[in-house]
């Protein structure tokens, strides 16, 4: 968003600065899954009794949290996926992204990664396969997996829950018009990062998640959305918006006019130049 991109690539659908929310989620989950320490003269502290998965965490973050909670070698939870016999739709092709439902899961001495991952997916299926969500997806001429994918974008992009329905509408409007989504959140997912700054070089990466270069939805969800994002995905609010940008925290502007959007982007860029740099994540 800080650069002059040719007209087609310059259209920016800027996501929220999720640093605060993600940071909070990490603290909450970190508290729940903190790895016990050995101290001189003391026995090992008790294992945590619950695992908190915040809304919007990616599968990679969930796997890491499971490994920490169960004191396992990093990568163990991810490797456990094939043996967990997860009830995923065929479209997922064995990838649980989008189905590791954000909630609090109890831990016991007998907890294993396969069991935890299965609980998350089973919870997602209970939430998603009920009449409101499944019927809402059908009403919008999409299957459930597509609805979850849209919800994951909404979760990543919306600054507030109040913005979610409008972000969802932008997604639908651009899909209906045959426009690329051009969501920075999908590029961040491809690059395994979270940032407010996306460069022209970033928008040219070769990836099925590059929604600047590829049409339609990404091949999978890009995180694990919560209930509010799912509701927004199946009930987008009415509107003709095609663009949005979070000019500053609490001020996300939606527009149907590209010239208006450019002015909003210019204001965002000005704010970024004067903002206090945030710690590197």
């Amino acid at each position: 968003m800080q650069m002059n991109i040719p007209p087609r690539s310059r259209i920016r659908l800027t996501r929220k600065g999720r640093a605060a929310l993600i940071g909070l989620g990490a603290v909450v989950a970190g508290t729940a899954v903190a790895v016990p320490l050995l101290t001189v003269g003391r026995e090992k502290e008790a294992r945590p009794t619950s695992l908190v998965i915040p809304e919007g965490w990616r599968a990679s973050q969930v796997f890491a949290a499971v490994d920490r909670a169960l004191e396992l070698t990093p990568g163990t939870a991810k490797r456990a996926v094939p043996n967990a016999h997860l009830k995923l739709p065929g479209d997922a092709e064995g990838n649980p992204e989008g189905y590791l439902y954000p909630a609090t899961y109890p831990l016991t001495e007998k907890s294993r990664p396969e069991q935890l991952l299965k609980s998350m997916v089973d919870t997602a299926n209970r939430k998603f396969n009920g009449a409101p969500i499944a019927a809402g997806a059908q009403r919008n001429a999409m299957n459930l997996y597509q609805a979850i994918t849209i919800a994951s974008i909404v979760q990543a992009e919306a600054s507030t829950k109040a913005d979610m329905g409008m972000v969802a509408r932008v997604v639908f409007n651009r899909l209906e018009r045959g426009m690329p989504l051009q969501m920075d959140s999908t590029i961040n997912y491809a690059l395994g990062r979270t940032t407010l700054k996306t460069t022209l070089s970033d928008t040219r990466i070769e990836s099925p998640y590059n929604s600047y270069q590829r049409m339609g939805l990404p091949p999978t969800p890009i995180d694990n959305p919560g209930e509010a994002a799912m509701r927004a995905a199946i009930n987008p609010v009415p509107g003709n918006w095609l663009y949005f940008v979070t000019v500053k925290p609490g001020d996300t502007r939606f527009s149907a006019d590209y010239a208006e959007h450019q002015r909003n982007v210019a204001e965002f860029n000005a704010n970024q130049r004067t903002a206090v740099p945030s710690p590197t994540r």
Side-chain angles (χ1 to χ4, degrees), residues 33-259:
V33 305
V35 176
L37 302 175
L38 287 175
T39 56
V40 177
R42 293 185 181 181
E43 293 184 357
K44 190 176 181 181
E45 294 180 8
R47 204 149 117 178
T49 58
S50 63
L51 171 61
V52 179
I53 303 300
E55 296 178 352
W57 264 20
R58 298 170 183 167
S60 59
Q61 294 171 289
V62 176
F63 295 148
V66 170
D67 289 338
R68 289 194 301 270
L70 302 184
E71 304 173 55
L72 301 172
T73 303
T76 301
K78 183 177 181 179
R79 291 192 296 271
V81 170
N83 297 322
H85 304 294
L86 305 177
K87 295 180 180 179
L88 299 169
D91 289 344
E93 297 183 350
N95 181 352
E97 191 75 84
Y99 278 79
L100 301 175
Y101 197 80
T104 300
Y105 297 91
L107 297 176
T108 71
E109 290 298 322
K110 296 182 179 180
S111 292
R112 296 293 180 266
E114 292 86 352
Q115 170 258 320
L116 276 175
L117 297 174
K118 186 176 184 301
S119 293
M120 295 176 196
V121 174
D122 288 349
T123 301
N125 281 320
R126 286 195 299 272
K127 296 284 187 178
F128 297 156
N129 291 330
I133 300 299
Q138 186 175 21
R139 184 174 63 249
N140 286 284
M142 57 184 172
N143 63 35
L144 183 57
Y145 196 68
Q146 291 170 323
I148 295 169
T149 301
I150 291 174
S152 74
I153 294 173
V154 170
Q155 185 77 64
E157 294 278 348
S159 294
T160 65
K161 288 186 177 180
D163 289 338
M164 285 182 170
M166 298 173 73
V167 172
R169 176 52 64 191
V170 170
V171 172
F172 276 95
N173 286 346
R174 293 181 73 91
L175 290 173
E176 289 170 359
R177 287 164 175 74
M179 300 172 68
L181 293 183
Q182 296 187 316
M183 297 281 182
D184 292 355
S185 57
T186 66
I187 289 179
N188 282 337
Y189 184 78
L191 296 174
R193 68 182 191 188
T194 301
T195 181
L196 289 175
K197 297 180 180 179
T198 299
T199 66
L200 178 59
S201 177
D202 292 337
T203 68
R204 292 172 174 169
I205 64 170
E206 185 59 37
S207 169
Y209 294 92
N210 185 349
S211 61
Y212 279 77
Q213 301 291 338
R214 295 173 181 261
M215 303 295 292
L217 294 173
T220 72
I222 60 171
D223 58 48
N224 294 280
E227 185 176 353
M230 281 301 303
R231 288 199 304 265
I234 62 171
N235 293 300
V237 300
N240 63 348
W241 311 290
L242 294 171
Y243 318 100
F244 65 90
V245 57
T246 299
V247 174
K248 58 185 178 181
D251 184 7
T252 299
R253 300 179 191 176
F254 295 80
S255 56
D257 179 71
Y258 181 56

Side-chain angles (χ1 to χ4, degrees), residues 257-275:
D257 179 71
Y258 181 56
E260 178 184 351
H261 177 64
Q262 284 182 302
R263 292 191 292 271
N264 293 335
V265 169
E267 187 172 339
F268 165 84
N269 287 334
N271 289 338
Q272 288 294 297
R273 286 192 292 270
T274 58

